[in-house]
Amino acid sequence: MSAKRQINKILVANRGEIAVRILRSIKDMGLKSALLFHRVEADSPSLKMADEIYEVTGDTPVAAFLDIENIVKICRDNDIDAVHPGYGFLSENAKFVEALDDAGIQFIGPRPEVMTLMGDKIGSRNFVQERGFPVAPSVLDNGDAEQFIARIMEIGFPLVIKASAGGGGKGMQIVRDAKGLSDVVATAKVEAQRYFGDPRIYAERYIENPRHIEVQVLGDEQGNCVHLWERECSIQRRFQKVIEETPSPALSQEQRQSICDVAVGIAQSVNYTSAGTIEFIYAPDGEFYFLEMNTRIQVEHPITEMVTGVDLVAEQIRVAMGEKLSVAQGDVVQRGHAIECRICAEIPDDDFAPSAGKVLMLHPPVGDGVRFDSASYEGQKVGTAFDSMIAKLVVHSEDRDAAIAKCLVALDEFVLLGVETNADYIARILRHAAFAEGKTDTGFIRHHAEDLLPLAVSEDLKTALVATAALSDRQFVAMMDAIPSPYRLMKEWRN
């Protein structure tokens, strides 16, 4: 039984939409909030939401948010009781948790030893496999390159080589035959060291055309652990998720229950507390295998909130206070269908190159069952200092077809001028017949690359666009008044 802990003021050690999201739950719970910021985002509306704000500095904006010593000092100097890390940055850094522990500050997340175990892909795989949970056939690098390659040959091809300390798809390489295998292994070790400061790698059987399915779990210090059902995250580019949905269109109710039970079993085995996600590879034959555990709140957590009605951030805070979960397993019911689209400042038709510029106009979609998580604002300078995601569009409806339709309407209503985004590209995916039929896997974008190209612009249309640009203001306004919203908003922007 854990002791109750008093928390009055929480520091959000993050930025962007997740900072806004966490601040809302802190306010709803009647607690005080503090927020870190870097000068490149000194005009962000999120700063007005926090009771207190503290500037962080560093060699780069990202480095500023990774300065453990400075963040702990800010907490000590300003009577901050707890820190919520969001995702990214220090959210899965055990040394950060230990530094907060030493300063008597509560970390809103799991214990550092759990974070260390489950954050190590080799260690977590061994742990999970030893307890009888499904893991894909794999080979661990023991430092002997020749022996490692010989053992790889035994499990066969195709396979994927990963960094033990990796994440986000960085350093991953798919290998389909033995040609150049030694070079691939050597490169993987170098990349693992460069990205994560840890050269250890492993190889596992690559499941062709797999789905990526994850299960949201919550645990408290009283030993309670529940799942909040699954999310399908198969629409990815370069191993980065683009669209997530729940429930998964691939699973029967029996399969859904099975994968969720396994996720809870893994979480219980490690005595997990707070919110976490167990990720699985789901094969076309219906078998599924443990992939990794993310010991933090996920980017895609809103779709789980939409279908279950559970505030995951509030649950994290309650657990950090030593309280038990507010929900039992029987209380967690999936209602309807939810989809999340990650809107990023990028150019999909130019190999997803990053996009930068100034936000000249922003018109977020609104409506019943529509949620727009963002910290973007008109006048914002979007650069490449941080991750390219600038918003999350989340919709909820009675079933999958209705959710897709609502999402397309919301994307049509969304207007952001000045910075190119992937919003139109996402709409092309949602309109694709294979997506509508639920025929998705992690190679969807690669397999349907040609189908997802933009429609060619005819010479007649190009001429019309040039002519429109040449209109007088009076002519332009008259024309725009005849066009339905949201395109009339272009008039305001031009004015």
Side-chain angles (χ1 to χ4, degrees):
M1 205 64 142
S2 74
K4 294 289 182 68
R5 291 179 286 270
Q6 185 67 36
I7 292 179
N8 296 308
K9 190 194 301 182
I10 299 173
L11 174 71
V12 180
N14 217 299
R15 57 166 292 280
E17 61 82 20
I18 191 60
V20 170
R21 162 71 190 91
I22 296 167
L23 288 168
R24 284 176 179 150
S25 285
I26 293 172
K27 183 176 181 179
D28 289 345
M29 297 178 76
L31 302 172
K32 290 184 178 180
S33 63
L35 178 67
L36 302 181
F37 76 97
H38 187 275
R39 61 182 174 78
V40 298
E41 296 183 308
D43 296 325
S44 172
S46 61
L47 275 61
K48 297 178 182 178
M49 296 179 63
D51 296 310
E52 301 171 6
I53 58 174
Y54 300 100
E55 183 177 3
V56 287
T57 59
D59 293 337
T60 66
V62 169
F65 282 90
L66 296 175
D67 189 337
I68 293 176
E69 183 177 349
N70 186 42
I71 294 172
V72 172
K73 184 178 186 301
I74 288 172
C75 293
R76 279 176 165 162
D77 292 348
N78 297 282
D79 298 320
I80 291 168
D81 306 304
V83 174
H84 196 305
Y87 55 74
F89 294 133
L90 295 170
S91 62
E92 294 179 287
N93 189 308
K95 291 182 179 179
F96 181 48
V97 184
E98 291 166 354
L100 290 173
D101 284 349
D102 291 343
I105 300 158
Q106 182 65 34
F107 178 75
I108 299 176
R111 301 307 304 143
E113 60 272 17
V114 173
M115 191 179 288
T116 298
L117 171 61
M118 301 312 285
D120 184 316
K121 285 185 169 56
I122 293 176
S124 62
R125 286 172 59 83
N126 288 340
F127 179 87
V128 167
Q129 191 168 32
E130 287 167 3
R131 283 152 185 78
F133 298 111
V135 174
S138 62
V139 176
L140 308 181
D141 176 24
N142 61 2
D144 185 326
E146 289 187 10
Q147 187 182 74
F148 181 51
I149 291 172
R151 293 169 64 205
I152 284 177
M153 299 297 290
E154 291 178 6
I155 67 170
F157 299 92
L159 55 87
V160 58
I161 296 178
K162 302 179 182 179
S164 175
K170 290 182 178 178
M172 288 176 57
Q173 296 194 55
I174 297 171
V175 183
R176 298 192 175 278
D177 55 50
K179 184 179 179 180
L181 182 58
S182 60
D183 291 337
V184 172
V185 168
T187 300
K189 291 175 75 69
V190 170
E191 290 186 346
Q193 177 66 42
R194 182 170 76 246
Y195 286 131
F196 310 107
D198 184 342
R200 293 176 304 151
I201 60 174
Y202 68 98
E204 72 177 12
R205 175 71 55 80
Y206 180 69
I207 308 299
E208 292 283 6
N209 303 319
R211 290 177 183 259
H212 185 138
I213 295 178
E214 62 188 28
V215 178
Q216 178 71 61
V217 295
L218 282 173
D220 62 26
E221 295 173 4
Q222 287 77 15
N224 301 302
C225 185
V226 301
H227 67 76
L228 289 93
W229 303 102
E230 89 290 357
R231 299 184 287 252
E232 168 126 4
C233 309
S234 297
I235 303 298
Q236 304 178 3
R237 58 107 174 119
R238 297 175 183 164
F239 303 107
Q240 295 285 325
K241 300 165 188 173
V242 177
I243 299 173
E244 301 99 347
E245 61 180 311
T246 184
S248 166
L251 303 181
S252 66
Q253 193 54 41
E254 182 180 0
Q255 291 171 317
R256 178 169 292 111
Q257 191 65 60
S258 177
I259 200 169
C260 290
D261 287 346
V262 167
V264 169
I266 293 171
Q268 287 177 322
S269 296
V270 76
N271 296 318
Y272 193 79
T273 55
S274 195
T277 302
I278 315 289
E279 303 203 352
F280 298 94
I281 287 294
Y282 182 84
D285 63 4
E287 295 295 318
F288 60 88
Y289 306 97
F290 171 78
L291 180 62
E292 64 181 354
M293 182 175 192
N294 289 307
T295 56
R296 54 173 168 76
I297 197 78
Q298 292 277 94
V299 175
E300 58 271 23
H301 78 274
I303 56 174
T304 294
E305 294 183 327
M306 296 289 260
V307 299
T308 64
V310 177
D311 183 329
L312 293 173
V313 173
E315 292 299 319
Q316 286 185 294
I317 296 171
R318 291 190 187 100
V319 171
M321 290 177 167
E323 298 178 7
K324 70 176 185 177
L325 298 176
S326 69
V327 291
Q329 190 63 70
D331 302 325
V332 185
V333 179
Q334 285 177 311
R335 292 183 174 87
H337 197 97
I339 298 173
E340 175 180 288
C341 304
R342 300 192 188 192
I343 298 176
C344 298
E346 64 184 18
I347 310 171
D349 303 319
D350 186 19
D351 197 28
F352 301 97
S355 175
K358 184 178 180 180
V359 178
L360 302 176
M361 182 178 186
L362 175 61
H363 177 69
V366 295
D368 182 46
V370 176
R371 172 173 165 176
F372 190 77
D373 284 15
S374 179
S376 292
Y377 57 96
E378 292 183 359
Q380 176 188 11
K381 293 180 180 179
V382 176
T384 57
F386 296 112
D387 184 83
S388 65
M389 189 177 72
I390 56 177
K392 298 186 311 198
L393 169 62
V394 186
V395 301
H396 179 241
S397 201
E398 63 271 16
D399 57 38
R400 188 171 187 266
D401 288 345
I404 292 173
K406 181 176 287 189
C407 198
L408 285 167
V409 170
L411 285 167
D412 284 343
E413 292 178 351
F414 168 67
V415 176
L416 190 150
L417 300 178
V419 180
E420 189 161 347
T421 75
N422 63 342
D424 182 64
Y425 184 79
I426 289 172
R428 292 178 226 160
I429 295 173
L430 294 175
R431 290 190 175 99
H432 196 283
F435 184 89
E437 295 169 10
K439 296 178 179 178
T440 61
D441 57 52
T442 57
F444 184 94
I445 285 177
R446 185 177 69 256
H447 297 154
H448 300 289
E450 290 191 10
D451 297 341
L452 298 174
L453 291 173
L455 294 175
V457 178
S458 69
E459 289 303 317
D460 287 345
L461 181 54
K462 288 180 183 178
T463 301
L465 291 172
V466 171
T468 299
L471 292 174
S472 68
D473 286 345
R474 183 176 179 181
Q475 291 170 321
F476 181 82
V477 170
M479 183 188 77
M480 295 310 295
D481 281 340
I483 298 176
S485 180
Y487 302 103
R488 278 201 306 271
L489 294 169
M490 292 175 63
K491 178 178 67 178
E492 299 173 21
W493 169 68
R494 172 160 162 158
N495 290 343

